[in-house]
Amino acid sequence: LKYLKQEERNSETPPPLWCRRLSSYHLKTVWLHQLHKTRTGQWDETLLEERVLELLDHLIHHLELQTLHHFFLGNTKLIKQAGSLCIPKHFLRKGLKYNLYDEIHHKTIAQSICELKELKKNIHLHMTYVLSNLSARH
């Protein structure tokens, strides 16, 4: 998603609103939530388009809810893994929630949802382009 955002920002046309208002931090947070839900073997390069679609779905869903919780703060699902992840347990305690979408205006959220749904319709084209660029660089 961050790569797609950067490609949109580098194009000759003005970037869509989601590229200007959703920060890399928002995208990384969505990715961390998705990474935690998806089995390791499912992140193979051959499944990249599926994972990007899932990330877009996750992003759109949480924009519709107008809620994206911080990945670490208040994430009680990580308590069992806190020691191995070197996360202080008090960060994970219940009731500690921080909504990353609190400071985004609802009209911005609505327009971003429309733009991301459009991006999703054309994701195969975008992924073909992304993968060909990545292959050319290696």
Side-chain angles (χ1 to χ4, degrees):
L1 289 179
K2 186 176 177 184
Y3 183 85
L4 291 172
K5 177 181 174 178
Q6 194 60 44
E7 287 296 312
E8 290 281 3
R9 294 181 103 181
N10 290 338
S11 75
E12 295 177 12
T13 59
L17 189 62
W18 76 269
C19 292
R20 298 185 312 242
R21 296 296 184 251
L22 297 179
S23 68
S24 291
Y25 191 74
H26 291 114
L27 302 180
K28 288 174 193 171
T29 301
V30 168
W31 177 73
L32 284 170
H33 283 290
Q34 194 64 37
L35 184 63
H36 192 251
K37 290 186 339 185
T38 307
R39 292 189 319 261
T40 305
Q42 295 296 309
W43 288 96
D44 183 72
E45 185 179 319
T46 60
L47 301 170
L48 184 59
E49 188 171 326
E50 285 180 52
R51 297 296 77 82
V52 171
L53 281 169
E54 287 173 358
L55 287 168
L56 283 170
D57 285 339
H58 191 92
L59 184 59
I60 292 166
H61 174 73
H62 284 278
L63 282 166
E64 289 171 341
L65 295 175
Q66 296 187 19
T67 303
L68 178 64
H69 292 294
H70 192 282
F71 181 72
F72 294 105
L73 296 178
N75 191 342
T76 56
K77 296 174 185 172
L78 295 177
I79 288 177
K80 292 178 186 174
Q81 301 167 329
S84 64
L85 296 173
C86 300
I87 303 169
K89 284 190 178 183
H90 67 275
F91 280 177
L92 307 175
R93 71 179 182 269
K94 251 187 177 165
L96 183 64
K97 294 285 184 191
Y98 180 72
N99 183 7
L100 300 177
Y101 289 157
D102 272 348
E103 297 178 13
I104 301 176
H105 193 274
H106 64 88
K107 287 183 181 179
T108 301
I109 288 176
Q111 186 173 343
S112 295
I113 290 168
C114 292
E115 292 171 350
L116 288 164
K117 285 181 177 180
E118 194 62 33
L119 174 65
K120 189 177 165 190
K121 287 180 194 174
N122 301 309
I123 199 63
H124 182 72
L125 179 65
H126 288 284
M127 292 307 300
T128 301
Y129 175 75
V130 167
L131 292 173
S132 68
N133 279 348
L134 290 175
S135 295
R137 291 180 187 170
H138 288 91

